[in-house]
Amino acid sequence: MRIDVFTLFPDWFDWFKTQRHVTNAMALGSSLECVDYREHTPLNWGQVDDTPFGGGAGMVLRVDVVEAALRARYGEDPVATRERRRVIALTPGGRMLDDGVVEELAAEPELTLLCGRYEGFDERILDHFCSDQLSIGRYVLAGGELAAMVVCDAVLRKLPGALGHVESAREESFSAALGGAPEYPHYTRPADWRGWEVPGVLLSGHHARIRDWRHEQSRARAGTGEDDSLS
Ligand code: 6GU
């Protein structure tokens, strides 16, 4: 998986790139590279945004600046780039990220993530350069960078080997292996703390019964989760 993130704050990703599942994914051949819009702007003094036509608050990321950055990276008209790789803008109103979307993205060989700032993107960026728009929730962040990190985190940990333990990503909350249900509860030592005991079945060593119990717990949680009431 090769991920390119276009941003005005590439150094925000320095910390993220030190995270274990990210370094694991890199060691296994994936890449996460940042492109700084400001380094490619055709305008003076590093200008990347401008005031909105029609008036109003805030600044809007310019279409010519994003085109220059995409061209510099891919050596072609960005209108063509989106035909051959997913070019995803992070926007608060985009398609909502969930486990299904993450699986879909994890199956791609290459991803491009575009972060906006301030009031967002000139609409022509979304219309002509992007294949998708993604959101991580119905609230507004100051920019797409944190959302891009959420997408990278969720996608990279799906890749084989990224977690160290293959089964960890398969049977987890909201995964198809659990029928889209939340995960079952986990316990570790001590088995008894202040009289709060770990369910006996988990200490039984009986693998089939443990598996049944876990799936039962997962199903029970699906019925009582808050997700249903929100939609
Ligand atoms: Cl993807 N971007 C911004 N700026 N805010 C958001 C978001 C994205 N998802 C939720 N809020």
Side-chain angles (χ1 to χ4, degrees):
M1 164 75 63
R2 308 186 65 80
I3 304 179
D4 292 340
V5 180
F6 287 67
T7 172
L8 290 169
F9 302 96
D11 54 320
W12 285 32
F13 291 81
D14 292 345
W15 160 80
F16 179 68
K17 287 188 211 167
T18 67
Q19 301 306 296
R20 189 54 170 269
H21 63 291
V22 181
T23 58
N24 282 352
M26 302 304 130
L28 290 162
S30 290
S31 68
L32 174 58
E33 291 178 12
C34 291
V35 177
D36 188 344
Y37 293 121
R38 224 178 280 283
E39 284 187 6
H40 300 285
T41 178
L43 308 172
N44 290 329
W45 305 293
Q47 186 187 351
V48 292
D49 55 1
D50 222 322
T51 53
F53 281 127
M59 300 291 273
V60 177
L61 191 60
R62 288 176 57 130
V63 63
D64 49 354
V65 170
V66 174
E67 170 158 342
L70 285 163
R71 266 186 196 279
R73 181 70 176 173
Y74 302 117
E76 63 185 357
D77 186 338
V79 170
T81 305
R82 76 157 176 194
E83 298 299 325
R84 59 173 189 82
R85 68 187 277 154
R86 298 281 281 267
V87 180
I88 301 167
L90 282 315
T91 58
R95 178 184 178 198
M96 196 73 77
L97 188 71
D98 62 14
D99 190 69
V101 175
V102 173
E103 286 283 351
E104 188 184 309
L105 298 180
E108 296 282 337
E110 300 173 319
L111 296 176
T112 297
L113 303 179
L114 302 185
C115 302
R117 271 272 133 183
Y118 320 116
E119 288 308 297
F121 297 93
D122 184 299
E123 194 70 15
R124 292 166 291 184
I125 298 167
L126 307 174
D127 286 347
H128 302 289
F129 300 157
C130 296
S131 58
D132 307 71
Q133 295 179 41
L134 277 185
S135 169
I136 63 163
R138 295 297 181 235
Y139 44 81
V140 179
L141 301 169
E145 282 77 11
L146 290 173
M149 279 184 234
V150 167
V151 172
C152 291
D153 189 290
V155 168
L156 291 174
R157 66 187 291 289
K158 291 277 187 191
L159 302 181
L163 292 183
H165 195 309
V166 199
E167 286 301 299
S168 315
R170 203 184 71 82
E171 195 167 279
E172 64 183 2
S173 295
F174 317 117
S175 64
L178 288 179
E183 202 169 19
Y184 44 76
H186 300 283
Y187 299 88
T188 187
R189 282 178 285 273
D192 183 349
W193 180 251
R194 297 175 52 184
W196 304 327
E197 290 180 12
V198 171
V201 61
L202 297 177
L203 309 174
S204 69
H206 198 302
H207 297 299
R209 277 179 46 214
I210 291 171
R211 194 186 53 231
D212 290 349
W213 180 86
R214 285 177 166 168
H215 285 180
E216 201 177 284
Q217 292 285 315
S218 175
R219 274 195 303 278
R221 287 182 165 193
T224 58
E226 289 181 12
D227 295 28
D228 301 317
S229 58
L230 284 177
S231 54

